[in-house]
Amino acid sequence: MESRFDVRNDRDLTMLVDFYELTMGNSYLEEGVGDQIVYFDMYFRRVPDGGGYCIMAGVDQLIEYLEDLRFTEDDVNYLRSTGQFSEKFLDYLAHFKFSCDVWAIPEGYPVFPNEPLVTVRGPAIQAQLLETMVLVTINHQTLIATKASRICRVAGNRSVMEFGSRRAQGYDGAIYGARAAVIGGCSATANTLAGMMFDIPVSGTMAHSWVQLYDSELEAFRAWSRAYPDQCLVLIDTYNVLKSGLPNAIKVFKELRDKGHEPLGIRIDSGDITYLTKKVRKALDEAGFPKAIIVISNSLDEHIIKDVLAEGAQINSFGVGERLITARSEPVFGGVYKLVAIEKEGNVIPRIKISENEEKITNPGFKKIYRIYEKGADKAIADLICDSEEVIDESKPLTIFDPVYTWKKKTLKNYKAELLRKQIFKTGELCYESPSVVEIRNFAKAQVERQWAEVLRFENPHNYYVDLSPKVWNAKFELLNKYSEEFSGK
Amino acid sequence: MESRFDVRNDRDLTMLVDFYELTMGNSYLEEGVGDQIVYFDMYFRRVPDGGGYCIMAGVDQLIEYLEDLRFTEDDVNYLRSTGQFSEKFLDYLAHFKFSCDVWAIPEGYPVFPNEPLVTVRGPAIQAQLLETMVLVTINHQTLIATKASRICRVAGNRSVMEFGSRRAQGYDGAIYGARAAVIGGCSATANTLAGMMFDIPVSGTMAHSWVQLYDSELEAFRAWSRAYPDQCLVLIDTYNVLKSGLPNAIKVFKELRDKGHEPLGIRIDSGDITYLTKKVRKALDEAGFPKAIIVISNSLDEHIIKDVLAEGAQINSFGVGERLITARSEPVFGGVYKLVAIEKEGNVIPRIKISENEEKITNPGFKKIYRIYEKGADKAIADLICDSEEVIDESKPLTIFDPVYTWKKKTLKNYKAELLRKQIFKTGELCYESPSVVEIRNFAKAQVERQWAEVLRFENPHNYYVDLSPKVWNAKFELLNKYSEEFSGK
């Protein structure tokens, strides 16, 4: 989605690659395997915060990067200056033309461990080169969209505004973090640039500094009510909420009403939320302002929101900052990008990465994902990872099984099987159009509602099934057995 | 510092402001107080991870932003479309000219809670408008530089390479995170763009995918040794470190030596570091490769590095990823930007923000910072926050006191007092030149060595003294008493 406004944020991120992607590219070329067709999968292994699902995000930025992928003369000169590359390779880069196929799960879908969110097929040099940008883009936005989804679900029908730019990890942490927060369910952001770039609502009123600028708080509130008579929301904790901020706000609200305007409400940014909001709500109601809203914004996260709502705190809207924009409780999304197959004479040859840590073993081969829904309820039952050539015939029963405890089986009859991924690039050409961010948010909300409540549970959720088709399972265990036999004699 | 190469990363971040900075600006102008001269301090309250110091970073990016601060026609049109701003204010933005004074502690200095890292003096609209960018810039880079300093100090004379781009929070998380990591002590980064932008060393060799591409690991290592005969470092854990990777590496190293090249070493990215590196070191030594280095890179942080070194792990170099680039253990740097004074008829009038949480009360007034050193040892004793007009006469004894437990006093005789901050903008004009990133890293190392060991201690460090001069202390407590009396009757 292009912005309606010129935001002068058209950076070239071609050089945002881990250096080894380039040294490997150099070696691929030297060894004559640069054009070898390979397949890479991007996937993650665990949902952050012990949650039941993640929300896919970042595809639109991945598209922007891939569309812009080219090496300038300065890029090539810089690489030459490191002394690590052959002129042949530098010449290859200077004439680089992206030609990969790329598949991705569209933004907004709930996604689960071990399924390939993105698959790249193409010449080894190219597919390898994308590793860092595929990962940083999808890892970051999926992390924040997932956190936002947790927070917004706890807030229920109260709005959640993203307020965290100042504590984000860098400018893009703020910009794309705001985008992802809205995908995850936030109603607005305080980040003006994100509002402009992604056409999402922006919000914000006053800071403590507004109050401090004036000789008295009352004077500060009055000045504000003159500037924004119909959207007057004042921050009441600069000096003392109950003894100063609240009575001054009510005084100004009455003056506003006398002039024919209705106040919007108040914001509190410190102190005990439950105690203060109950007092404030009662006072506002008694003073004749039952529609004045209460906004809270002090180091909030899903746990605090859950607790204060359970305690009966009176809140209409939350401003959530640093704990959302950095996903503070678990700030790393551990997506990986692994080679899963190569092509030889047109045949796909699965490849595996083995690890003593079983969960780090890859699922080999070129695959696709079906999401299986129960027909009547329209609720998701499982995701089934199939070989790219397999097709599910919905008219026939489908038996799925646990990939570890394989005797645990389930046969489905009344189901729908929907392909989860879309091709976004075909031989280097874009073949997908991203929806707007607000459309993605609405889509995400609808898709989350297609999950059973036990998967959405806040703590100890049910593990959603991500199963392998018999064909994929067999390919994996053949490779595992091969290497196990090879090393067992040593 | 400008890069020698054109990196096409010249973004305009003017619109990266919290929306309330603009609504306040609009109201300042409407109320005729837009040109009121104000002072804002940026400071933090707590060192992350329970450490004893932070490393200042991000000033150069703050400068870039301030130099580029202007509103385009599209910016103004976007703001108009929100319906929140008067034409008068939009016209002000269209003709915006930055005219503030800015002071900052230079990058690389150890910094401590409650001292103003940055101070902005200027018209209310302008000084307010900088809030988000001052915070996100200094918060992010200081967070990562501080984390890197902890990790590098634990690693001692072993090099630490920054490997985290793929798990960073957005592109700038990776780019400026790498910059900050080098300021904190890292020897290199894997982020090629950061290397190009900041003239810092880049490093990296091969990934598991290189090994997987070939039919056998031995074949993969041989191919690598042909491409990089004099810098051959191979990743030995794709299938099995001791049964496959290590013997294959030694075989290829011997072949290399037969051809007149010496191998660089091996990297391990999984498994038990202590056990594996001891085995690998012994095998490499016995095979005649005592100079082959061992690089480790698996979810490292300062705690793991400390433990495995204590266990006798044999490591020459660390690649540190996600736990450094996100400061995973504490990913939020809580810097704040607070109004501390206004000017009336040329006089500076201190302003305060009160809170029930004592540590959230601001230090009012326009201030400067002296760092006091013991003359003989050249070790820092304390930082003293003075009124901007105070001057310390080193020839006279200096009494400092604890700002809370004021009876705790210390009189210094043989000391040096160095001003910690530099003016970086004068009436909107840049008046400071940033050193290179490598120069800043060397400066940081030297400045850290000017701290006593007890401040640098890894756990439970001594709290470095950040004291207030009697003049600043008195101004603060006068204001506190004034408000306390005002509310005590209510």
Side-chain angles (χ1 to χ4, degrees), chain A residues 8-9 11-12 17 19-20 23 31 74 84 128 166 172 190 192 205 209 212 215 226 228 351, chain B residues 6 8-9 11-12 17 19-20 23 31 84 128 166 172 190 192 205 209 212 215 226 228 351:
Chain A
R8 292 168 299 149
N9 193 42
R11 277 183 304 170
D12 183 340
V17 297
F19 196 62
Y20 76 5
T23 52
E31 290 291 312
D74 271 66
Q84 302 276 307
Q128 183 69 65
R166 61 191 56 194
D172 293 321
T192 313
T205 56
S209 53
Q212 288 174 278
D215 287 331
R226 284 193 294 269
Y228 288 102
R351 288 283 200 237
Chain B
D6 177 9
R8 293 167 299 149
N9 193 43
R11 277 183 302 170
D12 184 341
V17 298
F19 196 63
Y20 75 5
T23 52
E31 290 291 311
Q84 303 276 306
Q128 184 69 65
R166 61 190 58 193
D172 292 321
T192 313
T205 56
S209 53
Q212 289 173 277
D215 288 329
R226 285 192 294 267
Y228 288 102
R351 288 284 200 238

Side-chain angles (χ1 to χ4, degrees), chain A residues 2-20:
Chain A
E2 285 277 305
S3 169
R4 290 178 295 142
F5 300 96
D6 177 10
V7 290
R8 292 168 299 149
N9 193 42
D10 295 326
R11 277 183 304 170
D12 183 340
L13 294 167
T14 298
M15 291 291 276
L16 183 34
V17 297
D18 280 300
F19 196 62
Y20 76 5

Side-chain angles (χ1 to χ4, degrees), chain A residues 5-6 8-9 11-13 15-20 22-24 26-28 31 33 36 38 40 61 70 72 74-75 78 84 128 131-133 135-137 139-140 143 165-173 190-193 195-196 202-210 212-215 223-224 226-228 231 237-239 243-244 298 322 325-326 328 331-336 338-339 344 351-354 360 483 487 490, chain B residues 5-6 8-9 11-13 15-20 22-24 26-28 31 33 38 40 61 70 72 74-75 78 84 128 131-133 135-137 139-140 143 165-173 190-193 195-196 202-210 212-215 223-224 226-228 231 237-239 243-244 298 322 325-326 328 331-336 338-339 344 351-354 360 483 487 490:
Chain A
F5 300 96
D6 177 10
R8 292 168 299 149
N9 193 42
R11 277 183 304 170
D12 183 340
L13 294 167
M15 291 291 276
L16 183 34
V17 297
D18 280 300
F19 196 62
Y20 76 5
L22 295 164
T23 52
M24 278 192 282
N26 186 61
S27 306
Y28 287 142
E31 290 291 312
V33 292
Q36 163 74 59
V38 299
F40 277 89
Q61 280 61 50
R70 72 212 145 85
T72 66
D74 271 66
D75 294 342
Y78 169 70
Q84 302 276 307
Q128 183 69 65
E131 177 173 29
T132 306
M133 280 295 290
L135 287 172
V136 64
T137 303
N139 277 340
H140 172 231
L143 175 73
S165 292
R166 61 191 56 194
R167 304 275 167 83
Q169 295 198 351
Y171 314 125
D172 293 321
N191 182 331
T192 313
L193 182 55
M196 182 173 173
V202 288
S203 74
T205 56
M206 68 164 66
H208 295 117
S209 53
W210 175 269
Q212 288 174 278
L213 189 73
Y214 288 84
D215 287 331
W224 191 260
R226 284 193 294 269
Y228 288 102
Q231 285 172 72
D237 70 337
T238 303
Y239 302 114
K243 291 179 179 173
S244 177
N298 180 23
E322 62 197 39
I325 206 70
T326 66
R328 178 173 170 269
V332 173
F333 192 82
V336 294
K338 294 289 178 190
L339 188 140
K344 278 196 176 173
R351 288 283 200 237
I352 199 163
K353 154 87 183 80
I354 299 180
K360 286 198 172 181
Y483 285 107
F487 302 138
K490 296 196 181 179
Chain B
F5 301 96
D6 177 9
R8 293 167 299 149
N9 193 43
R11 277 183 302 170
D12 184 341
L13 294 166
M15 292 290 275
L16 184 33
V17 298
D18 280 299
F19 196 63
Y20 75 5
L22 294 164
T23 52
M24 280 193 281
N26 185 61
S27 307
Y28 288 143
E31 290 291 311
V33 293
V38 299
F40 278 88
Q61 280 61 50
R70 72 212 146 84
T72 64
D74 270 68
D75 294 342
Y78 168 70
Q84 303 276 306
Q128 184 69 65
E131 178 173 29
T132 307
M133 278 297 288
L135 287 174
V136 64
T137 304
N139 277 341
H140 171 230
L143 175 71
S165 292
R166 61 190 58 193
R167 304 275 167 82
Q169 296 196 352
Y171 315 125
D172 292 321
N191 183 330
T192 313
L193 182 55
M196 183 173 173
V202 287
S203 73
T205 56
M206 68 163 68
H208 295 116
S209 53
W210 175 268
Q212 289 173 277
L213 189 74
Y214 288 85
D215 288 329
W224 191 260
R226 285 192 294 267
Y228 288 102
Q231 286 174 70
D237 70 337
T238 302
Y239 302 111
K243 291 179 179 172
S244 176
N298 180 23
E322 62 195 41
I325 205 70
T326 66
R328 178 173 171 268
V332 173
F333 193 82
V336 295
K338 293 289 176 189
L339 188 140
K344 278 195 174 174
R351 288 284 200 238
I352 200 163
K353 154 85 183 80
I354 299 181
K360 286 197 174 182
Y483 286 107
F487 301 137
K490 296 199 179 175

